[in-house]
Amino acid sequence: RDHCVTGVQTCALPIFRVRFDDEPASTPRVPIGQRVKAWLREGLLMAAILGFGWVALGWIRSPSLPKIAPDFMLTDLDGKTWTLSELRGKTVVLNFWATWCGPCRAEVPGLASFAAAHPDIPMLGIAVDGDAAKLRATGQDLGITYPILLADGPTKKAYDISTLPTTVVVNAEGQVRAAHAGLMLPPHLWLLTL
């Protein structure tokens, strides 16, 4: 109602226009350039709102973690043992995922390109299901280029993994910088690792 002018037959709302029955059919048309600008402005506003909502939803659903990231000792598909504490001095990205998880599979190309573009930031894919053979095949199918570690019960419990995918960013001091539950988009990951 705040957008309506008294005595005028139309009411321009922020997203759409209402036409009343007694309004003449020959209303002046808005030039296409102005309409395109309005659509772009509204589209960018909607994208910003959706982007903020996406980040907020991931933050709300993220696990409750202690200030210092829980240490772990996990084995990758080649038998190499990884310990989080040995990576101190570097920002580390931990991505908890499963072979059956659609969003996990969808985020792999972005994570793989991030890992390739930032070799100084270790990316560890921590699989919560499957055996080494199944994970190796899935990793090849999805194009995973970073190490895939086999999660154990204590690690899943320590990181409070209840939603997949879950991405945890650990800073160089071993502190949890951020945790995000749900699909991680590359720009968001880039911001979290700055």
Side-chain angles (χ1 to χ4, degrees), residues 31-61:
I32 188 73
Q34 287 180 347
R35 285 188 285 173
V36 168
K37 285 180 187 176
W39 291 336
L40 287 174
R41 185 176 53 247
E42 290 171 4
L44 287 173
L45 177 63
M46 185 62 70
I49 291 169
L50 289 173
F52 177 76
W54 186 263
V55 170
L57 182 63
W59 179 74
I60 290 168
R61 296 184 332 174

Side-chain angles (χ1 to χ4, degrees), residues 53-65 101 103-104 107 159-168 178-184:
W54 186 263
V55 170
L57 182 63
W59 179 74
I60 290 168
R61 296 184 332 174
S62 66
S64 177
L65 297 174
C101 169
C104 300
E107 74 180 356
Y159 281 88
D160 192 24
I161 301 302
S162 61
T163 302
L164 294 174
T166 294
T167 304
V168 179
H180 178 85
L183 183 72
M184 175 62 74

Side-chain angles (χ1 to χ4, degrees), residues 96-153:
F96 292 87
W97 67 287
T99 57
W100 51 262
C101 169
C104 300
R105 298 170 78 89
E107 74 180 356
V108 166
L111 296 177
S113 67
F114 180 88
H118 303 280
D120 55 320
I121 300 175
M123 168 86 65
L124 302 176
I126 303 176
V128 300
D129 75 333
D131 58 17
K134 181 178 181 180
L135 291 170
R136 188 179 316 279
T138 302
Q140 288 174 349
D141 289 346
L142 297 176
I144 296 177
T145 56
Y146 44 88
I148 298 174
L149 282 57
L150 303 167
D152 59 11

Side-chain angles (χ1 to χ4, degrees), residues 39-98:
W39 291 336
L40 287 174
R41 185 176 53 247
E42 290 171 4
L44 287 173
L45 177 63
M46 185 62 70
I49 291 169
L50 289 173
F52 177 76
W54 186 263
V55 170
L57 182 63
W59 179 74
I60 290 168
R61 296 184 332 174
S62 66
S64 177
L65 297 174
K67 184 176 180 178
I68 300 296
D71 199 11
F72 57 75
M73 184 183 298
L74 300 175
T75 305
D76 69 15
L77 299 181
D78 297 323
K80 179 181 176 187
T81 300
W82 292 78
T83 305
L84 183 60
S85 58
E86 290 177 357
L87 296 171
R88 285 269 167 92
K90 297 180 178 184
T91 297
V92 179
V93 177
L94 308 175
N95 179 253
F96 292 87
W97 67 287

